[in-house]
Amino acid sequence: MNEKTSLARPNTVLARAGFTSGFGVLAATLGSAVGLGNIWKFPYLTGANGGASFLLVYVLATLLVGLPVMMAEISLGRVGKANPISTLQALAPKGQPWWLIGVAGMLGAFLILSFYSEVVAWVFAYVVKAMRGSILSSDPQVTGAAFNALISDPMQSLLWQWGVLLFIGGILLMGVTKGIEAVTKKLMPILFLLLLLLCAVSLSLDKAWEGLVFLFHPDFSKITASVVLTAMGLAFFKLSIGMGTMMTYGSYFRDDQNIPLTTLRVMAADLSISMLAGIAIFPAVFTFGFAPTAGPSLVFITIPAVFSQIPMGQSLMVVFFVLAAIAATGAMLSLMEVPVVILHERLGLTRPKATLLTIFLLVILGSTSALSNSTLADFKLFGMTPFDLFDFVSSNIILPGGGIFIALFVGWVWGFDKFGGALTNKGHLQNQKVAQAVFFLLRYVSPALILVVMLKGLNLF
Ligand code: PHE
């Protein structure tokens, strides 16, 4: 590690390195993974891509590709102990440009943040709407109209998004990310309980069975190449991998942390939360006559309908969206960490300046996402609005592409000795078999699988 890197360790990394328990590391990693990906993206993609068959492919992608790449990223980060660019530069043989993975990751972070911040904006707006009680209804027309009124209003879309960006920027500038992590850790169990409550309500609805069949009974005819690519992209997005976030987080994993075990736990918890969101939503979708294929609006129009069925539904809905906002904040902070640390350590900007520059760039790029349902609705590139394009390119190209190169780097350049050393803590843990299996996946299976899925899914061959 060069001196500049060690001097310039970002303060959130230092703050998080202060976690003394294995649980702290687990919570921080989970804080990045769990976010709107579970509550918003997973349900709507599952709904739009055929239900159970999509879920099945998503789980397979998580196991065959997601887990190995996540272990690879965390291992590289823990050994490199720096931002992704510096880590890859330090670990690769001189002159080989593996550090470009870090550059692509930074680009990916900007693209994701520019639409993610808009979805967080909707969540924030829904907190206020829920307080006013104006959206609680089981009538698809009513909840749909409320959502459309929000996203098609350019001023509201922009202002809420800028509010979100300022809020997140403020947290970063004040250096209170440690506080946020602590708050997240305490509040996430409440979100979990609320989701359980919603599941119970949803399961008691008339056509709950139809929702469950949709979610769990696969119809294999719905699996196409582009569905597989979407499912794999979701696996990357969900686990925050393929773009350096987990590498950055790995840099503050403790040396005695069990990487495979932590990764497995994060994956299991993350998957459970997504499943709960699915079980809360699909029975209601079928009972009240929503369209499972509604797209990004699905959660925003369905959740109010479920809450409309319970006493104190309005107050509980406020709590739900506040907690969703907090979960999303954790994920956003981890996304921002990538460009902020890179600008800080590589370009020598102070951390506050790096943060301000990141926020500034996001205000500009993000505005195009914010206006994608109003002013810019007809402005399409490759047939997609900026919002959809940023989502598509990040999840279906940048993250899996990053995954290929991370897998290849570990499998063919870094080598088994070093990777195995990271997974077994230099032989202290009984993870040899796991290390061998994961290494095999990284060397041969994951890169080939990702490549084929990408080429087929993008219709390139
Ligand atoms: N995993 C986060 C979510 O599901 C999103 C994310 C993607 C965060 C990539 C960091 C990096 O909401």
Side-chain angles (χ1 to χ4, degrees):
M1 181 171 49
N2 64 41
E3 199 165 319
K4 182 165 163 246
T5 314
S6 68
L7 283 176
R9 289 296 294 284
N11 57 29
T12 50
V13 168
L14 288 179
R16 287 182 187 131
F19 282 126
T20 45
S21 64
F23 180 70
V25 174
L26 180 69
T29 313
L30 201 56
S32 167
V34 173
L36 295 180
N38 307 71
I39 300 168
W40 163 72
K41 204 172 203 211
F42 168 79
Y44 103 68
L45 286 181
T46 305
N49 290 289
S53 45
F54 177 84
L55 174 61
L56 190 75
V57 180
Y58 163 61
V59 172
L60 280 178
T62 300
L63 295 176
L64 286 177
V65 176
L67 277 182
V69 172
M70 187 166 170
M71 289 186 207
E73 260 196 60
I74 294 177
S75 302
L76 291 170
R78 188 172 71 181
V79 173
K81 299 234 184 311
N83 67 76
I85 296 183
S86 305
T87 289
L88 288 161
Q89 240 172 12
L91 302 183
K94 278 235 160 332
Q96 294 189 9
W98 294 96
W99 52 271
L100 286 171
I101 299 172
V103 176
M106 180 158 108
L107 182 69
F110 274 113
L111 293 185
I112 295 178
L113 279 163
S114 72
F115 72 85
Y116 204 85
S117 59
E118 183 55 22
V119 185
V120 183
W122 299 340
V123 172
F124 275 47
Y126 260 57
V127 171
V128 174
K129 280 180 185 281
M131 283 185 194
R132 295 213 191 108
S134 51
I135 39 171
L136 212 59
S137 163
S138 63
D139 181 348
Q141 300 283 330
V142 176
T143 59
F147 183 70
N148 277 330
L150 169 67
I151 65 167
S152 60
D153 178 340
M155 248 7 233
Q156 280 203 62
S157 306
L158 277 180
L159 291 178
W160 279 112
Q161 184 191 44
W162 293 348
V164 166
L165 288 171
L166 284 179
F167 172 70
I168 303 278
I171 293 175
L172 282 168
L173 284 177
M174 288 189 302
V176 289
T177 48
K178 195 178 174 189
I180 287 290
E181 299 285 5
V183 171
T184 314
K185 205 157 60 176
K186 294 212 180 66
L187 292 184
M188 280 314 104
I190 308 181
L191 181 67
F192 194 77
L193 289 179
L194 258 183
L195 273 175
L196 276 181
L197 172 72
L198 286 183
C199 288
V201 176
S202 208
L203 287 174
S204 71
L205 295 170
D206 278 356
K207 295 193 182 158
W209 187 244
E210 274 182 47
L212 290 182
V213 168
F214 179 77
L215 192 55
F216 294 115
H217 191 276
D219 169 357
F220 293 103
S221 70
K222 299 229 166 105
I223 301 181
T224 63
S226 90
V227 166
V228 175
L229 177 58
T230 308
M232 190 176 77
L234 178 66
F236 276 90
F237 185 88
K238 274 310 314 130
L239 296 174
S240 312
I241 51 175
M243 48 157 286
T245 295
M246 282 300 157
M247 220 184 282
T248 310
Y249 271 47
S251 69
Y252 53 80
F253 263 52
R254 299 177 335 150
D255 283 334
D256 62 353
Q257 186 89 16
N258 189 333
I259 293 177
L261 191 64
T262 309
T263 306
L264 266 177
R265 287 186 173 152
V266 168
M267 183 220 72
D270 182 62
L271 202 58
S272 316
I273 297 176
S274 295
M275 298 303 284
L276 287 184
I279 296 173
I281 284 168
F282 287 107
V285 162
F286 285 90
T287 304
F288 299 124
F290 290 95
T293 50
S297 65
L298 184 69
V299 174
F300 292 91
I301 58 182
T302 312
I303 288 287
V306 186
F307 276 113
S308 76
Q309 303 299 302
I310 30 179
M312 296 191 358
Q314 187 182 335
S315 319
L316 288 175
M317 188 160 79
V318 175
V319 179
F320 177 85
F321 279 111
V322 168
L323 293 173
I326 294 173
T329 302
M332 267 189 90
L333 288 171
S334 77
L335 273 161
M336 286 244 215
E337 190 67 17
V338 177
V340 168
V341 180
I342 290 178
L343 291 173
H344 174 47
E345 293 183 354
R346 304 290 312 188
L347 295 188
L349 298 181
T350 63
R351 205 171 147 99
K353 280 209 181 118
T355 306
L356 285 174
L357 179 60
T358 303
I359 300 275
F360 174 74
L361 293 173
L362 282 173
V363 166
I364 297 175
L365 194 66
S367 296
T368 61
S369 291
L371 298 176
S372 283
N373 294 296
S374 51
T375 322
L376 296 180
D378 295 324
F379 175 79
K380 298 207 166 138
L381 278 171
F382 304 105
M384 288 178 262
T385 61
F387 183 105
D388 294 334
L389 185 71
F390 297 157
D391 188 355
F392 183 88
V393 171
S394 53
S395 278
N396 297 334
I397 298 173
I398 296 187
L399 301 187
I404 293 182
F405 287 107
I406 289 164
L408 288 177
F409 180 71
V410 170
W412 297 92
V413 181
W414 208 38
F416 180 71
D417 287 348
K418 293 191 180 118
F419 180 65
L423 292 200
T424 59
N425 294 351
K426 302 210 171 87
H428 288 298
L429 299 171
Q430 299 294 318
N431 285 339
Q432 278 82 0
K433 289 254 155 59
V434 181
Q436 276 162 2
V438 174
F439 188 75
F440 178 81
L441 286 174
L442 286 170
R443 193 170 156 101
Y444 301 107
V445 183
S446 312
L449 208 60
I450 303 173
L451 186 68
V452 171
V453 171
M454 277 180 78
L455 292 179
K456 277 257 176 217
L458 296 170
N459 226 342
L460 294 177
F461 96 102

